[in-house]
Amino acid sequence: MTTGKTALVLGATGGIGGAVARRLAARGWQVKALHRRAASQSSQGGIVWIQGDALRPEDVAAAAQGVRLIVHAVNPPGYRHWDTLVPHMLEASIAAATAERARILLPGTIYNYGPDAWPRPLTEASPQNPTTRKGAIRVAMERRLAASGLDVLVVRAGDYFGPDAGNSWFSQALVKPGVPVARITNPGRTGVGHQWAYLPDVAETMVRLLEHPALPHGFATFHMDGQWDADGMAMIGAIRRVLGRPELKVGRLPWWLFRLIVPVNAFAREVTEIAPLWRRPIRLDNARLVALLGAEPRTPLDEAVAAALRGLGCLPGPTGATREALS
């Protein structure tokens, strides 16, 4: 790799990692992606797959040689061992970025915030006092990055959805992947706003920030507004419109069932911890982002929902990834 636009993506088979990898490649970046089974990944899209494990610092360091950006979008599978594995993987990225003098891009979450910050729109300066274990880990990650002395970009957004967001509330609650939508399951409450983020928009925002000449050095955070669902029904309405089924029934997520199995199920424990995020209208303030970029990339909601449903196999037509390749 010989140009300055070189990147290593960790977590490129995930929703946000894959979206960022494809967007970087489409914008002329030379992109490498680390994977434990690199040979099983398609070589299409201009992404070079490198054999390795994000849990092995030596693998990350070898893959990062010559890059100017490391996208840290990797998470432990199945919510297991977050307290030990997350810091370990982050240290591997920091060490590699330090050796290469590379910037780190971290997708941020709203888990960082607690009830003391929720009543107001969340700015980059809002206090981060989470009440959940996952939130505490995310805060620790950002504090470690801030103390690293590296150039770091954190882009914070709401709940992801999109053509390739298999592990999301949209795909694991609202609809069921791979089958026509027979019913919508709503994790939230009617009248309570919720913040969504369409993955291609998030990836586009990240790349525009990375390429902006005025992007600050050091540790920098930007918030996205994404798709704000003011009353908790806009996303449901979009699904109904896209499917042409205004009568489609909506049921409530059985939070009580998750609470019941918490003692024997790690995933249920993580889900119940973040349940309060669905009970309050938590919104990110994107004023700083707009001040730098002029506008936030935003796909019309119905178009985004249609692409997400196609990508999940719930609606006939080309998937989102296919549409990106053809556009």
Side-chain angles (χ1 to χ4, degrees):
M1 293 189 173
T2 58
T3 73
K5 296 173 64 174
T6 55
L8 169 66
V9 180
L10 305 178
T13 54
I16 185 60
V20 174
R22 290 190 295 274
R23 195 64 201 134
L24 287 169
R27 292 282 280 264
W29 287 66
Q30 294 175 295
V31 180
K32 295 189 287 185
L34 191 68
H35 196 274
R36 285 173 294 180
R37 294 179 297 278
S40 68
Q41 301 303 309
S42 171
S43 59
Q44 296 179 352
I47 299 171
V48 177
W49 292 89
I50 306 296
Q51 180 69 32
D53 192 332
L55 285 169
R56 293 172 54 88
E58 58 271 30
D59 288 355
V60 177
Q65 289 183 11
V67 306
R68 290 296 172 261
L69 172 69
I70 296 177
V71 181
H72 188 89
V74 62
N75 290 306
Y79 290 99
R80 294 188 297 272
H81 309 300
W82 269 67
D83 55 340
T84 56
L85 296 184
V86 167
H88 183 73
M89 289 190 292
L90 185 65
E91 289 300 328
S93 290
I94 290 173
T98 301
E100 301 299 326
R101 298 182 180 179
R103 184 188 299 271
I104 291 180
L105 168 62
L106 177 74
T109 73
I110 62 171
Y111 302 142
N112 297 50
Y113 302 100
D116 60 326
W118 291 344
R120 301 168 298 278
L122 300 173
T123 72
E124 291 80 1
S126 294
Q128 297 190 6
N129 299 307
T131 57
T132 66
R133 286 172 295 179
K134 191 173 182 180
I137 291 171
R138 296 295 305 194
V139 170
M141 289 177 68
E142 293 188 23
R143 289 177 178 170
R144 175 67 183 95
L145 287 169
S148 69
L150 294 166
D151 285 341
V152 176
L153 172 62
V154 177
V155 179
R156 201 180 314 283
D159 276 324
Y160 295 147
F161 75 103
D164 303 290
N167 184 21
S168 69
W169 282 101
F170 187 99
S171 64
Q172 294 186 322
L174 269 73
V175 302
K176 292 183 178 180
V179 296
V181 180
R183 177 185 175 90
I184 301 171
T185 301
N186 186 10
R189 297 176 175 177
T190 302
V192 177
H194 192 76
Q195 195 146 35
W196 297 92
Y198 183 51
L199 278 177
D201 290 343
V202 179
E204 175 66 18
T205 299
M206 290 175 168
V207 175
R208 288 191 191 183
L209 286 168
L210 289 167
E211 295 181 342
H212 199 286
L215 178 65
H217 289 286
F219 184 84
T221 303
F222 291 87
H223 288 182
M224 289 186 64
D225 186 45
Q227 298 283 357
W228 173 244
D229 184 341
D231 64 355
M233 292 298 293
M235 182 63 78
I236 290 170
I239 295 173
R240 285 170 163 169
R241 287 192 301 275
V242 167
L243 296 174
R245 298 184 59 193
E247 82 290 350
L248 198 61
K249 291 184 178 180
V250 178
R252 297 194 63 179
L253 186 75
W255 290 103
W256 63 270
L257 180 59
F258 288 106
R259 291 193 293 270
L260 187 65
I261 62 175
V262 161
V264 295
N265 189 289
F267 176 75
R269 181 176 63 246
E270 297 293 337
V271 167
T272 54
E273 274 197 343
I274 61 176
L277 301 179
W278 285 95
R279 299 174 189 150
R280 296 173 177 84
I282 303 168
R283 187 174 189 178
L284 297 169
D285 184 333
N286 71 341
R288 187 185 188 206
L289 175 71
V290 172
L292 184 64
L293 295 184
E296 178 181 316
R298 187 178 284 109
T299 301
L301 180 58
D302 285 13
E303 181 181 335
V305 168
L309 291 173
R310 279 192 293 268
L312 293 172
C314 301
L315 186 69
T319 65
T322 302
R323 294 180 71 205
E324 280 190 14
L326 295 175
S327 61

